Amino acid sequence: MGIFGRKDNTTATPAGATGPDLAALTGDYTIDPAHTTIEFVARHAMVTNVRGSFQDFSGSLHLDGQDPAKSTATLDVTMASIDTGNADRDGHLKSADFFKIDEFPTMTFRSTKAESLGGEDYRITGNLSLLGVTRPITIDLEFNGVAKDPFGNERAGFEGKAELLRSEWGLTWNAALETGGVLISDKIKLNFDVSAIKNA
């Protein structure tokens, strides 16, 4: 998130408090792709991690500072924008073995529940739709603070983490290793670094 991702003590609210600063967050926001990262991590050959990200996506947030349970989030990801730093691997991931991007070009998330865990920690539950399968997923979020950028935009920042089993969305391609185990882990870790701009 660059300069917009750090906590700003001038706008921070004490843990558990719902004061004017937190209430001022209430509103609709657009996720800024230029300062947002959506990353995934998979175990490879049982010994190392392969990281990738999506470069083309859009999303929105509705934040309710006084009642976080009324907050919502949406995200639409273009699957052809997957990037692991290796063209051959990216091509395989776009193929029928994995994401079938010709048939299923988009992955979507729609929140169904938001809750405060205390302090700067929140949890968002929602439906992740991928390969024609929709299943629930839970994302733990840390609120990083708010700031006004040099262009006058009001920004809110969050970091998030989630885990899923790719087989539950039909991503079952794998290869056995001679030494035991499989080439790609079923468990995938998701990391989010989000900068959202408040709508005028």
Side-chain angles (χ1 to χ4, degrees), residues 25-188:
L25 288 174
T26 298
D28 295 316
Y29 293 73
T30 299
I31 292 175
D32 177 11
H35 296 94
T36 296
T37 302
I38 302 173
E39 181 187 64
F40 60 89
V41 183
R43 200 74 171 163
H44 181 262
M46 310 295 289
V47 297
T48 190
N49 290 322
V50 169
R51 301 177 185 274
S53 61
F54 295 98
Q55 304 300 308
D56 185 8
F57 52 86
S58 61
S60 62
L61 306 174
H62 173 75
L63 303 182
D64 191 315
Q66 293 184 313
D67 187 357
K70 295 180 180 178
S71 299
T72 60
T74 70
L75 184 66
D76 295 89
V77 178
T78 301
M79 299 307 291
S81 71
I82 193 168
D83 182 5
T84 65
N86 181 284
D88 289 340
R89 180 168 55 219
D90 293 347
H92 191 197
L93 289 171
K94 296 173 187 179
S95 75
D97 284 341
F98 287 95
F99 292 120
K100 306 177 184 177
I101 65 168
D102 291 337
E103 186 177 357
F104 302 101
T106 306
M107 173 174 64
T108 65
F109 173 81
R110 299 291 184 266
S111 67
T112 56
K113 181 181 179 182
E115 54 190 317
S116 172
L117 303 181
E120 307 294 344
D121 297 326
Y122 298 86
R123 179 169 292 155
I124 296 287
T125 302
N127 291 321
L128 181 69
S129 297
L130 175 65
L131 292 172
V133 177
T134 300
R135 294 183 60 86
I137 186 174
T138 298
I139 303 171
D140 288 328
L141 294 169
E142 180 182 1
F143 174 52
N144 276 346
V146 295
K148 181 169 286 189
D149 68 26
F151 306 101
N153 298 310
E154 294 184 48
R155 292 178 178 263
F158 296 87
E159 293 180 49
K161 294 183 178 180
E163 292 185 354
L164 58 82
L165 298 178
R166 62 187 181 93
S167 59
E168 293 184 343
W169 280 265
L171 290 165
T172 56
W173 186 94
N174 225 322
L177 301 175
E178 291 184 8
T179 53
V182 292
L183 184 65
I184 306 171
S185 62
D186 190 24
K187 183 171 73 174
I188 304 296

